[in-house]
Amino acid sequence: MELSSFGTFWQIYILVFTGIIGLIIGSFLNVVILRLLSGESIVFPGSKCPKCSHAIAWYDNIPVISYILLKGKCRNCDQSISIQYPLVEFTTALLFIATVFCFGIGLNLFFLLILISALIVITVTDLKEQVVFDIISMPLIPLGLVYNFFDIANTANSHVKFFALTFNDVFLTAFAGAILGALFFELFARLGLVLVGHRAFGGGDTIIAAALGAWFGWKMLIIVIVLSFALQLLIGIPIILLNMYKDKDFKSLIYMSLLLFSLIISVLGRIFGLTNHFTGALIILLISFGLAGVGVVGVLSRVKERKSYTLLPFGPALVFGGFVVLFFGQNVMNWFINNFHLMQG
Ligand SMILES: [Zn+2]
């Protein structure tokens, strides 16, 4: 049922109510995160301060509000409480509200809220300690497949028959998505193993990608991958450059600048119209590919030599791509099709 089928008063009421549920679930997700990372049982009774282990009273455990009233400190030991707690609660509430707003109320909502909750836990554990817990990420694969098998989002328009079994389009797309996600990241990870002697991605990323494929299908998964790589480069390159500078690894910095030059040359070639005719395009292409090639090989061999690599968690970037696709999937797809003339038909 779409939200617009309710009157204005009820729409506001539903959104506020959803926000409160989101805060409570967010508070629970904090407990899950804390106990996964500390190895404690999730059903362990009662909340306690992570610093002094003092039991937290219910009135000091109200999402966001208690954090503000206590000025971010434990009432017992006065040590600061991580900003993670109100941030997770607030983010969960916002995402829950956005989901009800975009998808209305129905069985699909229930599935989507589970997906969102799991993705929040994955993001925080990956950012904090570079771990993605299989117990959180793995179940998302069958859950996504079930979601699409029964076509809970109601988007299927045709069915395909294999022997005596009938599958809907959406399910087949999702199945292909799960396989594509797993294969892509597993192959990429092993490429890192061959090139620099270290996996390029953790095993957790393979599972997250397979899960996102199972939920959104292979076409949307491609968009998730493109978006997550773009975000990772945007955040990662400055960090990697800074680390190289701190290590006084100037050779690596020179190789990195070759990559930048190759990009600048192709952009300049395009701006000045040099790529409009065949010879011009070929020359620009050869120069920028040459520079990029030397740069990539140089950086990789330095990494191998020095055994130093900046490890950045990739999970949060994938989750970011997943959320963009969840809320704006069709818009982003149309943008890609219009701008790159891709995937038509
Ligand atoms: Zn305390």
Side-chain angles (χ1 to χ4, degrees), residues 99-130:
T99 311
V100 169
F101 189 80
C102 295
F103 300 94
I105 297 164
L107 185 58
N108 59 340
L109 180 65
F110 176 72
F111 274 80
L112 292 174
L113 295 186
I114 292 176
L115 171 69
I116 288 168
S117 302
L119 292 180
I120 290 170
V121 172
I122 288 169
T123 306
V124 179
T125 59
D126 205 4
L127 280 178
K128 269 186 106 172
E129 305 206 351
Q130 284 80 53

Side-chain angles (χ1 to χ4, degrees), residues 49 52 74 77:
C49 166
C52 69
C74 167
C77 66

Side-chain angles (χ1 to χ4, degrees), residues 1-8 10-11 14 105:
M1 211 192 265
E2 279 190 37
L3 198 64
S4 55
S5 58
F6 296 92
T8 313
W10 286 107
Q11 285 187 23
I14 289 168
I105 297 164

Side-chain angles (χ1 to χ4, degrees), residues 155-229:
T155 49
N157 36 36
S158 65
H159 292 78
V160 184
K161 219 172 163 120
F162 281 117
F163 305 108
L165 292 167
T166 309
F167 296 99
N168 67 54
D169 256 11
V170 178
F171 173 73
L172 291 175
T173 310
F175 193 73
I179 292 173
L180 175 71
L183 274 183
F184 180 81
F185 277 87
E186 209 39 44
L187 288 178
F188 221 114
R190 282 169 196 218
L191 190 67
L193 209 56
V194 173
L195 290 176
V196 295
H198 191 277
R199 276 177 72 99
F201 293 99
D205 298 321
T206 304
I207 298 166
I208 301 169
L212 293 176
W215 279 85
F216 301 121
W218 67 269
K219 287 182 195 167
M220 288 294 179
L221 181 69
I222 293 175
I223 290 180
V224 170
I225 292 173
V226 171
L227 289 175
S228 57
F229 270 86

Side-chain angles (χ1 to χ4, degrees), residues 49-54 73-79 81:
C49 166
K51 301 260 168 71
C52 69
S53 297
H54 187 266
K73 282 174 183 165
C74 167
R75 192 189 285 278
N76 186 54
C77 66
D78 219 35
Q79 293 195 69
I81 301 165

Side-chain angles (χ1 to χ4, degrees), residues 231-250:
L231 180 70
Q232 194 75 352
L233 287 178
L234 211 64
I235 296 175
I237 285 183
I239 296 176
I240 290 170
L241 289 178
L242 194 69
N243 283 352
M244 284 175 177
Y245 181 75
K246 274 191 201 152
D247 289 348
K248 300 207 186 311
D249 183 7
F250 297 111

Side-chain angles (χ1 to χ4, degrees), residues 241 244-245 249-262 291 294-296 298-299 302:
L241 289 178
M244 284 175 177
Y245 181 75
D249 183 7
F250 297 111
K251 268 190 194 166
S252 292
L253 278 173
I254 289 168
Y255 286 128
M256 288 293 274
S257 60
L258 285 184
L259 288 177
L260 184 69
F261 273 127
S262 76
L291 283 177
V294 175
V296 168
V299 169
R302 288 293 292 161

